[in-house]
Amino acid sequence: MKFQTLLKTTAVMALLAATAGTAIAQDKMMRVRINADIRSTDPGVNRDANSDAVVLHMVEGLVGYKDDASIAPLLAKSVDISADGKTYTFKLRDGLKFSNGEPLTSADVLASWQRYVDPKTAWRCLKDVTGSGVANVTNVTAPDASTVVFTLEKPTALFLTTLARTDCGGTGIYHKSSLDAQGKWVKPIGTGPFMLNEWRSGQYVELAANPNYVSPGGERSGYVGDKTPRVPAVRFMVIPDDAAAKAALYSGDIDVISDVNNADVEEFSASDELKVDKVASMGLTGLLFQTRDPLLKDVRIRKALLLTLDIPQIAEALTNSQAPANFSVIPVPSPYSGKLQKDVPARDLEAAKTLLAEAGYKGQPIKWLATKFYPSLFDAAVLVQAMAQEAGINIEIETLDWATLLDRYTAGNYSAMSFTYSARLDPSLSFDMVSGNKDKSPNKVWDNPEGLKLIAESTTVSDSEKRQVLFDKLEGMIRADVPLIPLYSGTRIGAVRANVDGYKTWPVGYPRMWGVSFAAGK
């Protein structure tokens, strides 16, 4: 698929003066590896992770994530929440312009929102704002050109988080010319630091610097702060094979790999040609128990198995020392990862043996599901098997393909398994991903009724201190019940050529190419 160039303005031509004609010179272009082509350029529609990563360079929403996954204003300069938590008033930043030079007003916010909530659009997050999910937006108004007011049916702490979500396209605001006369999506005309130049399906997506980008100033953090482009263009190169991407980085055919394999970190770090940057991520890799299993329904056996494990050693082995142990569903980078969440239980074989004796365990086999699709999940099973055997626990590993493992997880058809969850950027969502009524959602591992009430309450409370109290109480409860054993949150690792300046990895993991440049003289 190929689009006509958008590079027509004098300002852009000045930015690209070193290039020939309307083409962008290869030595001026930052090249980033993506492992598959994007699905569309429509924010939050027909999307996947690569689509989100590219689109969020072109469109911006009212609010955005910071590095720690907290929420801050983006197109809005302020957000006022009413005392009852039902009314959100956004004041737009002054002087905002779309990439085509047209000013952004509250009318554009309303028009974008109306398309998002039209079922025909098939927006990923429709249910989350229309009553089936975390919020029900009952009305949106624009009292003046710089003000937008959202009214909710009931208060929720997750409304701003939902607006910022990457899989929602950041609820990005776009100009009406993003659509054709029939209302069909054409291309994003947004306020972001870049704009679409060319999309060659299966090869690359090329973005050009937006000459009309208006920076809010402030430190770059997540998707907020100063996002000024420092190169005339960015090309997202489709390279499915990891080995091919690695070779391309070494040869200089690409400049950035945003998600490096743990096994390559030591090699990359030792190279004078490359620079490596890493941060703790927001995911979860852990061990799940079916608490309705005839054997594992006894919490003493689950606790005993926990006490046989050296969790820091397991995390070190599975991540090649790239991620610390984390025995909480709340990820390490979260501002709600406090003292309690950071505590990791120590191994205690004697205490484990005592619990097993009390439970009457006689060496009955525990079937443990794993997959080699993610090698760390299989390796986790092997390590657990060896450590648990020292206390007399008999674990039998069954290796499945990933699709079958997912089916078994979804149906709750297992005794125990190694599993991994993608990032959840709010603790309420982190607890929700593992918690629920097993009769209605068999994939949930924790169905403590009091815990479910507290999770629901946490979604309605906005005060951070009060939320921390709730999360600490939930932490104690889920640890007491041991429906799962979290092992680590993981690490996001990026690698760039030595002549690339300003690239920063962050917990969400998506590449962010604003503020990134080629070093002078290199």
Side-chain angles (χ1 to χ4, degrees), residues 405-417:
L405 186 75
L406 277 178
D407 288 343
R408 296 283 292 273
Y409 160 78
T410 301
N413 182 19
Y414 61 91
S415 296
M417 69 162 61

Side-chain angles (χ1 to χ4, degrees), residues 13 44 67 124 220 224 241 256 274 287 291 306-307 339 341 367 380 400-401 408 435 459 500-501:
M13 288 304 181
D67 278 345
R124 160 87 168 186
R220 175 182 58 172
V224 303
D241 182 69
V256 178
L274 308 176
L287 316 172
T291 56
L306 165 62
L307 290 171
K339 181 179 179 180
Q341 287 74 22
K367 187 75 72 174
L400 305 174
D401 62 80
R408 296 283 292 273
S435 310
T459 68
V500 174
D501 282 345

Side-chain angles (χ1 to χ4, degrees), residues 211-235:
N212 293 303
Y213 172 70
V214 180
S215 171
E219 182 181 357
R220 175 182 58 172
S221 181
Y223 282 117
V224 303
D226 182 18
K227 297 161 64 177
T228 302
R230 302 297 181 191
V231 290
V234 174
R235 180 176 285 186

